[in-house]
mmCIF file of all heavy atoms in Angstrom:
data_model
loop_
_atom_site.group_PDB
_atom_site.id
_atom_site.type_symbol
_atom_site.label_atom_id
_atom_site.label_comp_id
_atom_site.label_asym_id
_atom_site.label_seq_id
_atom_site.Cartn_x
_atom_site.Cartn_y
_atom_site.Cartn_z
ATOM 1 N N THR A 7 164.572 108.400 96.303
ATOM 2 C CA THR A 7 165.829 107.922 96.873
ATOM 3 C C THR A 7 165.536 106.751 97.807
ATOM 4 O O THR A 7 164.751 106.893 98.745
ATOM 5 C CB THR A 7 166.520 109.047 97.678
ATOM 6 O OG1 THR A 7 166.834 110.128 96.800
ATOM 7 C CG2 THR A 7 167.797 108.534 98.327
ATOM 8 N N ILE A 8 166.143 105.590 97.517
ATOM 9 C CA ILE A 8 166.015 104.454 98.430
ATOM 10 C C ILE A 8 166.928 104.710 99.618
ATOM 11 O O ILE A 8 168.137 104.841 99.460
ATOM 12 C CB ILE A 8 166.415 103.135 97.745
ATOM 13 C CG1 ILE A 8 165.502 102.838 96.557
ATOM 14 C CG2 ILE A 8 166.377 101.989 98.758
ATOM 15 C CD1 ILE A 8 164.108 102.424 96.916
ATOM 16 N N ASP A 9 166.353 104.793 100.793
ATOM 17 C CA ASP A 9 167.133 105.051 101.994
ATOM 18 C C ASP A 9 167.740 103.774 102.544
ATOM 19 O O ASP A 9 168.956 103.663 102.710
ATOM 20 C CB ASP A 9 166.246 105.720 103.046
ATOM 21 C CG ASP A 9 166.985 106.075 104.313
ATOM 22 O OD1 ASP A 9 167.387 105.122 105.027
ATOM 23 O OD2 ASP A 9 167.189 107.258 104.605
ATOM 24 N N LYS A 10 166.882 102.800 102.833
ATOM 25 C CA LYS A 10 167.386 101.546 103.413
ATOM 26 C C LYS A 10 166.322 100.466 103.339
ATOM 27 O O LYS A 10 165.130 100.739 103.094
ATOM 28 C CB LYS A 10 167.801 101.745 104.871
ATOM 29 C CG LYS A 10 166.676 102.202 105.787
ATOM 30 C CD LYS A 10 167.112 102.261 107.246
ATOM 31 C CE LYS A 10 168.096 103.362 107.527
ATOM 32 N NZ LYS A 10 167.462 104.707 107.555
ATOM 33 N N ILE A 12 164.682 97.613 105.757
ATOM 34 C CA ILE A 12 164.536 97.312 107.175
ATOM 35 C C ILE A 12 163.715 96.028 107.281
ATOM 36 O O ILE A 12 162.484 96.058 107.203
ATOM 37 C CB ILE A 12 163.830 98.460 107.930
ATOM 38 C CG1 ILE A 12 164.460 99.808 107.572
ATOM 39 C CG2 ILE A 12 163.855 98.214 109.431
ATOM 40 C CD1 ILE A 12 163.649 100.995 108.023
ATOM 41 N N MET A 17 162.446 101.837 102.972
ATOM 42 C CA MET A 17 162.251 103.249 103.307
ATOM 43 C C MET A 17 162.793 104.089 102.154
ATOM 44 O O MET A 17 163.921 103.874 101.690
ATOM 45 C CB MET A 17 162.973 103.596 104.603
ATOM 46 C CG MET A 17 162.913 105.091 104.946
ATOM 47 S SD MET A 17 163.751 105.435 106.511
ATOM 48 C CE MET A 17 163.902 107.225 106.411
ATOM 49 N N PHE A 19 162.572 108.253 100.171
ATOM 50 C CA PHE A 19 162.111 109.638 100.307
ATOM 51 C C PHE A 19 162.352 110.395 99.006
ATOM 52 O O PHE A 19 163.075 109.951 98.112
ATOM 53 C CB PHE A 19 162.776 110.348 101.492
ATOM 54 C CG PHE A 19 164.284 110.331 101.489
ATOM 55 C CD1 PHE A 19 165.019 111.209 100.707
ATOM 56 C CD2 PHE A 19 164.980 109.442 102.306
ATOM 57 C CE1 PHE A 19 166.403 111.205 100.726
ATOM 58 C CE2 PHE A 19 166.364 109.428 102.335
ATOM 59 C CZ PHE A 19 167.081 110.312 101.539
ATOM 60 N N ALA A 22 165.321 115.019 98.079
ATOM 61 C CA ALA A 22 166.755 115.047 98.396
ATOM 62 C C ALA A 22 167.381 113.817 97.725
ATOM 63 O O ALA A 22 166.723 112.788 97.581
ATOM 64 C CB ALA A 22 166.982 115.005 99.906
ATOM 65 N N CYS A 70 162.433 117.540 107.566
ATOM 66 C CA CYS A 70 163.233 116.569 108.298
ATOM 67 C C CYS A 70 164.705 116.860 108.021
ATOM 68 O O CYS A 70 165.030 117.717 107.193
ATOM 69 C CB CYS A 70 162.882 115.130 107.906
ATOM 70 S SG CYS A 70 163.142 114.742 106.173
ATOM 71 N N VAL A 71 165.547 116.166 108.716
ATOM 72 C CA VAL A 71 166.991 116.340 108.525
ATOM 73 C C VAL A 71 167.481 115.242 107.580
ATOM 74 O O VAL A 71 167.238 114.059 107.824
ATOM 75 C CB VAL A 71 167.736 116.245 109.872
ATOM 76 C CG1 VAL A 71 169.249 116.349 109.649
ATOM 77 C CG2 VAL A 71 167.259 117.345 110.809
ATOM 78 N N VAL A 72 168.148 115.639 106.505
ATOM 79 C CA VAL A 72 168.651 114.686 105.516
ATOM 80 C C VAL A 72 170.141 114.915 105.324
ATOM 81 O O VAL A 72 170.591 116.051 105.171
ATOM 82 C CB VAL A 72 167.932 114.837 104.161
ATOM 83 C CG1 VAL A 72 168.418 113.777 103.178
ATOM 84 C CG2 VAL A 72 166.426 114.752 104.332
ATOM 85 N N GLY A 73 170.900 113.847 105.332
ATOM 86 C CA GLY A 73 172.336 113.985 105.111
ATOM 87 C C GLY A 73 173.088 112.783 105.628
ATOM 88 O O GLY A 73 172.488 111.746 105.944
ATOM 89 N N ASN A 74 174.406 112.911 105.721
ATOM 90 C CA ASN A 74 175.246 111.832 106.235
ATOM 91 C C ASN A 74 175.175 111.818 107.762
ATOM 92 O O ASN A 74 175.599 112.764 108.418
ATOM 93 C CB ASN A 74 176.690 112.016 105.782
ATOM 94 C CG ASN A 74 176.849 111.783 104.290
ATOM 95 O OD1 ASN A 74 176.128 110.979 103.696
ATOM 96 N ND2 ASN A 74 177.778 112.484 103.673
ATOM 97 N N MET A 75 174.609 110.747 108.303
ATOM 98 C CA MET A 75 174.445 110.614 109.753
ATOM 99 C C MET A 75 175.365 109.523 110.282
ATOM 100 O O MET A 75 175.474 108.446 109.679
ATOM 101 C CB MET A 75 172.993 110.244 110.100
ATOM 102 C CG MET A 75 171.954 111.112 109.440
ATOM 103 S SD MET A 75 171.940 112.784 110.082
ATOM 104 C CE MET A 75 170.672 113.496 109.002
ATOM 105 N N GLY A 76 176.004 109.774 111.400
ATOM 106 C CA GLY A 76 176.843 108.766 112.010
ATOM 107 C C GLY A 76 178.138 109.365 112.502
ATOM 108 O O GLY A 76 178.153 110.473 113.061
ATOM 109 N N PHE A 81 178.937 105.892 108.521
ATOM 110 C CA PHE A 81 177.770 106.766 108.422
ATOM 111 C C PHE A 81 176.871 106.328 107.279
ATOM 112 O O PHE A 81 177.270 105.537 106.412
ATOM 113 C CB PHE A 81 178.209 108.225 108.223
ATOM 114 C CG PHE A 81 179.022 108.464 106.985
ATOM 115 C CD1 PHE A 81 178.412 108.676 105.753
ATOM 116 C CD2 PHE A 81 180.406 108.487 107.051
ATOM 117 C CE1 PHE A 81 179.157 108.891 104.620
ATOM 118 C CE2 PHE A 81 181.174 108.703 105.913
ATOM 119 C CZ PHE A 81 180.550 108.910 104.690
ATOM 120 N N ASP A 82 175.656 106.835 107.298
ATOM 121 C CA ASP A 82 174.669 106.569 106.247
ATOM 122 C C ASP A 82 174.089 107.890 105.780
ATOM 123 O O ASP A 82 173.902 108.818 106.587
ATOM 124 C CB ASP A 82 173.521 105.694 106.769
ATOM 125 C CG ASP A 82 173.940 104.255 106.977
ATOM 126 O OD1 ASP A 82 174.598 103.701 106.089
ATOM 127 O OD2 ASP A 82 173.587 103.694 108.040
ATOM 128 N N TYR A 83 173.747 107.944 104.501
ATOM 129 C CA TYR A 83 172.977 109.073 103.985
ATOM 130 C C TYR A 83 171.515 108.709 104.237
ATOM 131 O O TYR A 83 170.999 107.733 103.686
ATOM 132 C CB TYR A 83 173.233 109.275 102.492
ATOM 133 C CG TYR A 83 172.464 110.445 101.903
ATOM 134 C CD1 TYR A 83 172.926 111.747 102.067
ATOM 135 C CD2 TYR A 83 171.268 110.239 101.210
ATOM 136 C CE1 TYR A 83 172.218 112.816 101.554
ATOM 137 C CE2 TYR A 83 170.555 111.308 100.704
ATOM 138 C CZ TYR A 83 171.034 112.593 100.864
ATOM 139 O OH TYR A 83 170.335 113.656 100.362
ATOM 140 N N THR A 84 170.846 109.472 105.087
ATOM 141 C CA THR A 84 169.505 109.086 105.500
ATOM 142 C C THR A 84 168.684 110.311 105.876
ATOM 143 O O THR A 84 169.165 111.449 105.832
ATOM 144 C CB THR A 84 169.572 108.102 106.690
ATOM 145 O OG1 THR A 84 168.274 107.593 106.966
ATOM 146 C CG2 THR A 84 170.131 108.773 107.937
ATOM 147 N N ALA A 85 167.427 110.070 106.242
ATOM 148 C CA ALA A 85 166.512 111.126 106.694
ATOM 149 C C ALA A 85 166.019 110.763 108.083
ATOM 150 O O ALA A 85 165.660 109.612 108.345
ATOM 151 C CB ALA A 85 165.330 111.248 105.734
ATOM 152 N N ILE A 86 166.014 111.731 108.979
ATOM 153 C CA ILE A 86 165.530 111.489 110.337
ATOM 154 C C ILE A 86 164.631 112.645 110.775
ATOM 155 O O ILE A 86 164.690 113.740 110.209
ATOM 156 C CB ILE A 86 166.684 111.324 111.346
ATOM 157 C CG1 ILE A 86 167.528 112.613 111.416
ATOM 158 C CG2 ILE A 86 167.567 110.138 110.986
ATOM 159 C CD1 ILE A 86 168.583 112.580 112.513
ATOM 160 N N GLY A 87 163.802 112.374 111.765
ATOM 161 C CA GLY A 87 162.937 113.420 112.307
ATOM 162 C C GLY A 87 161.514 112.941 112.496
ATOM 163 O O GLY A 87 161.152 111.816 112.128
ATOM 164 N N VAL A 90 159.558 111.659 109.442
ATOM 165 C CA VAL A 90 159.892 110.289 109.045
ATOM 166 C C VAL A 90 159.182 109.289 109.964
ATOM 167 O O VAL A 90 158.617 108.294 109.501
ATOM 168 C CB VAL A 90 161.416 110.073 109.094
ATOM 169 C CG1 VAL A 90 161.763 108.642 108.694
ATOM 170 C CG2 VAL A 90 162.123 111.068 108.178
#
Side-chain angles (χ1 to χ4, degrees):
T7 298
I8 298 288
D9 182 292
K10 60 175 69 75
I12 312 167
M17 175 179 165
F19 55 80
C70 60
V71 177
V72 183
N74 290 329
M75 311 291 177
F81 60 84
D82 287 314
Y83 180 80
T84 188
I86 62 173
V90 179

